[in-house]
Amino acid sequence: MRYILRKLITLLVTLFLISLLAFLAFAIIPGDPAVTLLGVNATPEAILALRQEMGLDRPVFVRYVEWLGDMIFGDMGRSFAHGHSVRELLGDRLIVTGSLMGLSFVMMLGIALPVGLLTAGRQRGIVHWMVTIINQMMMAVPPLFLGLMLTFVFGAVFRVFTPSAFVSFRESVGGYLFYMLFPALAIALPKSAMMVRLIRSSVREEMGKDYVRTAVSRGCAPRGVLYRHVLPNIAAPVITFSALTLIMMITDSIVVEQVFSIPGAGRILISAIGTRDYPVVQALVLVIAALVMTLHALADVLCRLVDRRITL
Amino acid sequence: MRRRNVTLLVGASLTTMLLLIVVIGQLLWHFGPTELNPGRLLGPSAVHPLGTDHLGRDVFARVLDGAGTTLLVALGTVLIGAVGGLLVGAVTGYYGGWLDEIVMRISDGLTAFPSILLALVVVSITGSGMGNLVLILGVLFIPSFARVARGEFRRLKSLDYVKRARVSGASNGRMMLVHILPNAMPVFLSTVAIGFNNAVLAEASMSFLGLGVQQPQVSLGRMLTDSQAHLFTAPWIAVSTGVTIVLLVFAFSMLADGLQAGRRG
């Protein structure tokens, strides 16, 4: 319990530091948001008025405290480019990206766990080589290219789905999930190859240890040893890897959203970066940072719960 | 008997082959990457082995050019990352102390985030372009190299042969350069290969998103963006670009695995 509390405090302190960085970085860069918004031909009076309205005339520190306070209560400010509140702008998009990541993650586990566990006992022979070769190839395929290929194969050759005809989950949940199947697959496949590789190499390493030899020489069936003794011991690295993968899936979904024209958080991040729409970028940085830090912390806690050898 | 390291063999020969094709191919291939040919969106043929694009440019020539740019970005990134990482890792690993503590905390914080994500945020402040991309990715790659270098320097400095050198009066600089560095190299090299792997992927993603290499220049990532518009009419553009990325990543990761396996013996 004390451990979890300590973790939580570190998490909050880190997030606070990140928020400070995210705010200051965008506050000190050259270029006046008011000028960007009104264009270079705007009259000085108009710019001055807008600066006042946006609160840009006050000290950075005051603005930071205000911004952070608003953020904590869910008010993410106003987008420069769209004029909407950032929260309105991000709401549905965060759900889209979140569900894309979730779907990819479930898919990855659905592929990697069966394949990894069923082939873990076979560390030589034909199965071993087949799995190793397919894995090595699959790992080298970036989701962005896999996405293009899936679009071509399932969108143009087999015509299973209509590319770039995104269905919002507000219209039809089934249609939405069906459309998301393909981008999720593009993210999940390379990651499941990595996970299969991790499971197999962890099992191989663990199988060479003394306790396994003891168990086998006492007469336990090798298969039983694998499932009862070895697998619980490789749970910790697999959990850590899962958390890292989920974090890497953030970048993957940004890219894949672009491939499948999915209106998610990644797309708005890219367009906000392009138009220098800082309130949107800042808000997303904070949301992503919170997600990343939480996942790291969660993985640590889970590992300690699953693997008793790691002391609390 | 020593078992042959198949992975290293495959990785090293594939990497060498690809590098040679990219460098020599650009010099010898009879079409230029920006040369406009009469046939647009032609399929693969004897004249154009990978077809042509929407402006009639030879795709093979463009892939060579793009792969060259991508490899150049990767080289720059890894150079900055590896040299910076080696310096930081050597100093913190060798001397330890509070400096080590601070630097490692910062690098922990940085490595918590995927480097492409950090690069996206930094690009939103600095603007895109090839030079910026190399600089940003290079700096973001420093922590991962520093971590490995630090580990090796820490491990090696407490070994007997290094202690003996200290007793014989070797200076700190000499110990680091002559006694520790050469022995840290094998481990560091496999990290360099992984770095190339990650850099190629990062370049492809960033340029694909339009935040890396910019228009007149071609890179593999940029080509994938352009190929998307003609995916259904000319899939060979996307396929040849993508397969090139896959081959490069595959070669570098095999090389890294091989170097790592060779270390374990």
Side-chain angles (χ1 to χ4, degrees):
Chain A
M1 224 37 234
R2 280 231 349 242
Y3 170 76
I4 295 177
L5 202 69
R6 211 173 62 213
K7 216 68 225 174
L8 211 64
I9 293 169
T10 331
L11 188 84
L12 287 176
V13 172
T14 321
L15 270 180
F16 173 75
L17 283 176
I18 291 171
S19 76
L20 195 66
L21 272 177
F23 191 85
L24 286 182
F26 291 104
I28 56 170
I29 46 168
D32 188 337
V35 179
T36 320
L37 212 55
L38 293 173
V40 260
N41 297 325
T43 58
E45 292 81 35
I47 290 176
L48 204 67
L50 188 68
R51 281 182 64 92
Q52 241 156 24
E53 195 194 314
M54 292 164 80
L56 287 174
D57 51 342
R58 286 172 306 146
V60 176
F61 184 69
V62 176
R63 269 156 50 204
Y64 169 69
V65 172
E66 253 183 27
W67 174 74
L68 190 66
D70 286 347
M71 272 287 180
I72 291 170
F73 292 107
D75 178 2
M76 299 174 167
R78 211 158 260 288
S79 153
F80 289 166
H82 302 262
H84 300 296
S85 83
V86 175
R87 196 184 165 165
E88 215 172 285
L89 207 61
L90 290 185
D92 277 8
R93 292 168 197 267
L94 283 176
I95 298 176
V96 169
T97 302
S99 56
L100 176 58
M101 283 169 58
L103 202 60
S104 318
F105 188 67
V106 171
M107 229 181 237
M108 177 193 79
L109 293 182
I111 299 168
L113 289 181
V115 174
L117 296 183
L118 287 176
T119 63
R122 299 171 181 272
Q123 299 281 359
R124 59 190 74 213
I126 293 182
V127 178
H128 166 73
W129 282 108
M130 292 273 285
V131 174
T132 309
I133 290 170
I134 295 176
N135 250 333
Q136 285 288 352
M137 304 284 249
M138 212 56 237
M139 271 167 40
V141 182
L144 119 94
F145 176 50
L146 193 55
L148 286 176
M149 286 301 97
L150 288 174
T151 311
F152 179 67
V153 172
F154 290 105
V157 181
F158 294 121
R159 297 184 185 278
V160 182
F161 79 112
T162 327
S164 69
F166 172 78
V167 186
S168 166
F169 60 91
R170 299 226 180 261
E171 281 167 44
S172 139
V173 176
Y176 169 73
L177 284 178
F178 182 71
Y179 188 83
M180 295 305 255
L181 226 52
F182 301 95
L185 195 64
I187 298 177
L189 272 180
K191 294 283 181 283
S192 33
M194 291 179 199
M195 194 165 193
V196 167
R197 182 181 140 113
L198 174 82
I199 293 176
R200 287 171 53 82
S201 67
S202 314
V203 166
R204 182 167 55 237
E205 199 170 308
E206 204 67 23
M207 286 301 252
K209 289 194 176 161
D210 285 345
Y211 77 92
V212 174
R213 205 181 45 200
T214 312
V216 174
S217 62
R218 265 196 350 226
C220 301
R223 214 138 247 280
V225 176
L226 174 64
Y227 289 113
R228 306 235 354 209
H229 302 296
V230 171
L231 289 189
N233 284 339
I234 67 158
V238 172
I239 289 172
T240 312
F241 177 81
S242 302
L244 285 181
T245 319
L246 210 49
I247 290 166
M248 285 192 286
M249 280 179 178
I250 300 172
T251 24
D252 286 346
S253 43
I254 293 174
V255 174
V256 168
E257 275 169 25
Q258 213 77 6
V259 177
F260 286 87
S261 18
I262 297 166
R267 262 182 96 95
I268 196 120
L269 178 65
I270 301 303
S271 75
I273 290 172
T275 55
R276 307 209 149 197
D277 193 349
Y278 296 134
V280 177
V281 179
Q282 282 170 333
L284 275 171
V285 165
L286 218 54
V287 170
I288 293 173
L291 179 67
V292 169
M293 302 314 293
T294 313
L295 283 172
H296 276 300
L298 207 63
D300 276 1
V301 173
L302 269 180
C303 279
R304 279 166 166 78
L305 287 178
V306 171
D307 199 328
R308 290 286 160 183
R309 289 173 301 180
I310 306 167
T311 46
L312 277 172
Chain B
M1 197 186 86
R2 217 176 134 215
R3 262 185 70 213
R4 265 192 303 170
N5 190 339
V6 185
T7 324
L8 184 62
L9 205 67
V10 173
S13 41
L14 195 60
T15 311
T16 319
M17 209 173 72
L18 287 172
L19 290 181
L20 284 178
I21 292 177
V22 169
V23 174
I24 297 177
Q26 285 193 73
L27 298 174
L28 295 185
W29 190 238
H30 45 280
F31 291 110
T34 50
E35 190 181 329
L36 305 178
N37 300 296
R40 294 181 180 181
L41 295 175
L42 288 179
S45 63
V47 189
H48 302 286
L50 299 178
T52 60
D53 72 357
H54 60 290
L55 295 174
R57 295 174 296 196
D58 182 66
V59 174
F60 184 60
R62 291 187 72 73
V63 167
L64 289 178
D65 193 17
T69 314
T70 299
L71 285 170
L72 218 57
V73 170
L75 185 69
T77 303
V78 171
L79 216 59
I80 296 176
V83 172
L86 202 55
L87 282 175
V88 174
V91 171
T92 54
Y94 185 79
Y95 291 106
W98 58 269
L99 185 73
D100 177 42
E101 192 65 29
I102 293 174
V103 172
M104 280 302 119
R105 282 280 154 271
I106 296 174
S107 96
D108 275 349
L110 276 177
T111 41
F113 296 90
S115 47
I116 297 179
L117 210 56
L118 291 173
L120 282 179
V121 178
V122 181
V123 163
S124 75
I125 297 170
T126 60
S128 55
M130 186 171 155
N132 276 349
L133 185 68
V134 171
L135 213 62
I136 293 168
L137 286 177
V139 171
L140 289 176
F141 274 29
I142 288 178
S144 58
F145 286 111
R147 182 175 300 269
V148 175
R150 172 180 178 267
E152 279 302 284
F153 270 75
R154 265 175 84 99
R155 184 177 70 83
L156 292 168
K157 83 165 183 190
S158 57
L159 291 189
D160 286 344
Y161 81 93
V162 180
K163 286 186 185 151
R164 197 208 73 97
R166 143 124 23 240
V167 173
S168 345
S171 66
N172 283 330
R174 186 179 163 79
M175 305 246 295
M176 283 201 262
L177 265 173
V178 179
H179 296 292
I180 300 183
L181 187 64
N183 287 301
M185 259 344 194
V187 179
F188 200 69
L189 273 183
S190 110
T191 319
V192 168
I194 299 173
F196 266 101
N197 180 354
N198 292 336
V200 168
L201 283 175
E203 189 285 325
S205 307
M206 293 289 288
S207 299
F208 177 76
L209 294 172
L211 299 170
V213 173
Q214 293 299 320
Q215 230 350 295
Q217 268 179 319
V218 225
S219 76
L220 293 176
R222 269 232 67 90
M223 280 188 69
L224 275 186
T225 318
D226 298 341
S227 77
Q228 213 183 345
H230 310 283
L231 185 59
F232 295 156
T233 44
W236 51 86
I237 307 176
V239 172
S240 31
T241 312
V243 168
T244 312
I245 298 179
V246 173
L247 281 175
L248 284 174
V249 172
F250 182 73
F252 285 129
S253 73
M254 289 294 266
L255 189 62
D257 284 358
L259 287 170
Q260 215 157 25
R263 204 172 75 230
R264 277 195 225 103

